[in-house]
C-alpha cells in the first residue's frame, strides 16, 4: 500500500465520526432538495435557519466536552432561561447592556460549577442530578417571574445590538459569533491540555487520576463550560426576540442533545468531535424547516429526529467503541 493510500486511510480513520455526520447532513439536504426544490432554493429559508442556528450551536458545542468526559447535563435548558432572565431583569432595571450580558454569562458559569460540584462531591448520577436541577430552576423561574414575560424593544437602539445580532454582508452577526466560539472550542478540545484531559477522564477516570490529572476539576470545568454556553444561547435568544419568557430554552433540550449524538459524540465517553457537532446542529436546524417545506405535517419532525438519532448512534457504534 502506497504512502498516499496510508495517509488517506489514516485521515478517514481519525475523522470518521465527523465525516459520518457530514454524510447525514448531505443526505438530508438532498432529500429536502429533491422533495421541495423551489422552497429549498429560496434564500429566505436559509436566512431564517441562520437566525436561530447559532443559539443551538452555543449549547451543543460545550455538551461535546461534557459527554466526552462521560457525563451528561440536562439542566442546561433551564440555565438558558435563568441566565436570560437575569440579563432581562438587569436590562429593565436600567443597567448598561454590556454589563447585563457579562453578569448573565457569569451566572450561567456559576450554575455549571454548582451542577458539577453536586455531581462530583455529592456523588450523584449526572443524569439524575441534572434532571432535578432542570425542573428546580424552571420552577424557580415560573415563581420569580409570576409566569410573565419581559420585553425590551429599547435594546435595538443600543450599539451592542448591532454588534451581536445585527447583520454583516447580509449574514446575521450571531453566525459570526457562533463561528468564533466553535473555532475556539475546537482548539480547546483538540489542541489544549484541557481537551486532552477531557478525553482521558471520559475514557478511564481511574487511569487519568493515576496519570496525575485532577479528575474532579476537569469534570467540574466541563459542567461550567456547558453553563457558560447555555447562558450565551439564552442571551442571544433574548436579543433576537426582544423578549424573555418563562419557558425559554426548554424546547431546545432534546434538540441540542440530538445534535450532539448525531454529530458523532457517543454516550460512552472518551471520544467525540466538534466538527461533527456542527453538522449535527445543521441536521437538526434544517429538519425543523425541511419537513414542513416538503408539505408534511410538523408532527413528522419528532419521527425523523428520532430515526436519525438511532441511525447515527448505530453508525458511530459500528465505526468503533471506546478505546482505552
Amino acid at each position: 500500500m502506497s504512502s498516499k493510500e496510508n495517509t488517506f486511510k489514516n485521515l478517514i480513520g481519525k475523522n470518521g465520526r465527523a465525516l459520518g455526520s457530514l454524510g447525514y447532513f448531505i443526505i438530508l439536504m438532498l432529500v429536502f432538495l429533491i422533495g421541495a426544490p423551489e422552497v429549498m432554493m429560496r434564500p429566505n429559508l436559509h436566512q431564517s435557519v441562520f437566525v436561530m442556528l447559532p443559539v443551538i450551536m452555543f449549547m451543543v458545542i460545550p455538551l461535546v466536552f461534557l459527554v466526552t468526559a462521560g457525563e451528561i447535563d440536562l439542566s442546561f435548558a433551564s440555565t438558558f432561561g435563568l441566565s436570560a432572565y437575569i440579563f432581562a431583569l438587569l436590562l429593565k432595571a436600567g443597567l448598561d447592556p454590556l454589563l447585563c450580558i457579562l453578569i448573565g454569562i457569569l451566572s450561567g458559569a456559576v450554575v455549571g460549577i454548582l451542577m458539577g460540584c453536586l455531581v462530583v462531591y455529592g456523588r450523584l448520577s449526572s443524569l439524575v442530578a441534572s434532571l432535578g436541577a432542570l425542573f428546580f430552576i424552571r420552577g424557580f423561574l415560573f415563581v420569580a417571574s409570576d409566569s410573565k414575560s419581559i420585553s425590551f424593544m429599547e435594546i435595538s437602539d443600543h450599539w451592542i445590538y448591532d454588534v451581536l445580532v445585527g447583520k454583516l454582508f447580509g449574514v446575521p452577526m450571531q453566525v459570526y459569533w457562533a463561528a468564533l466560539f466553535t473555532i475556539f472550542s475546537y482548539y480547546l478540545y483538540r489542541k489544549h491540555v484541557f481537551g486532552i484531559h477531557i478525553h482521558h477522564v471520559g475514557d478511564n477516570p481511574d487511569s487519568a487520576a493515576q496519570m496525575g490529572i485532577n479528575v474532579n476539576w476537569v469534570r467540574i470545568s466541563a459542567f461550567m463550560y456547558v453553563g457558560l454556553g447555555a447562558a450565551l444561547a439564552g442571551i442571544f435568544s433574548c436579543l433576537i426576540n426582544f423578549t424573555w419568557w418563562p419557558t425559554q430554552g426548554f424546547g431546545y433540550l432534546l434538540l441540542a442533545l440530538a445534535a450532539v449524538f448525531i454529530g458523532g459524540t457517543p454516550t460512552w465517553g472518551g471520544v467525540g468531535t466538534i466538527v461533527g457537532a456542527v453538522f449535527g446542529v445543521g441536521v437538526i436546524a434544517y429538519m425543523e424547516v425541511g419537513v414542513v417545506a416538503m408539505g408534511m405535517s410538523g408532527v413528522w419532525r419528532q419521527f425523523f429526529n428520532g430515526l436519525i438519532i438511532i441511525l447515527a448512534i448505530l453508525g458511530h457504534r459500528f465505526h468503533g467503541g471506546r478505546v482505552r
Side-chain angles (χ1 to χ4, degrees), residues 279-299:
F279 293 119
V281 172
V283 169
I284 293 300
Y286 275 97
M287 180 71 73
E288 294 294 294
V289 298
V291 171
V292 178
M294 291 179 64
M296 303 175 69
S297 170
V299 298

Side-chain angles (χ1 to χ4, degrees), residues 29-32 43 54 58 65 107 113 115 123 126 130 140 148 168 200 214 216 261 279 307 316:
M29 295 302 291
L30 286 175
V31 169
F32 288 153
F58 284 123
F65 285 76
S107 69
I113 291 173
M115 189 70 246
R123 299 182 181 276
S126 58
S130 62
F140 167 79
K148 296 179 180 178
L168 181 63
H200 284 308
N214 190 332
N216 289 343
F261 300 136
F279 293 119
L307 178 62
H316 296 314

Side-chain angles (χ1 to χ4, degrees), residues 17 20-21 24 67 72 257-269 271 305-322:
R17 298 183 186 278
S21 302
Y24 288 121
V67 176
I72 192 67
L257 291 174
V260 173
F261 300 136
I262 293 171
T265 302
T267 56
W268 50 85
V271 291
N305 281 337
L307 178 62
I308 289 178
I309 292 172
I310 293 172
L311 293 176
I313 293 297
L314 284 174
H316 296 314
R317 168 62 75 179
F318 290 139
H319 178 268
R322 59 190 293 171

Side-chain angles (χ1 to χ4, degrees), residues 78 81-82 85 136-147 244 246:
S78 289
L82 178 63
Y85 178 61
F136 175 81
I137 297 172
R138 185 63 54 183
F140 167 79
L141 291 176
F142 276 113
V143 173
S145 66
D146 196 23
S147 300
W244 174 88

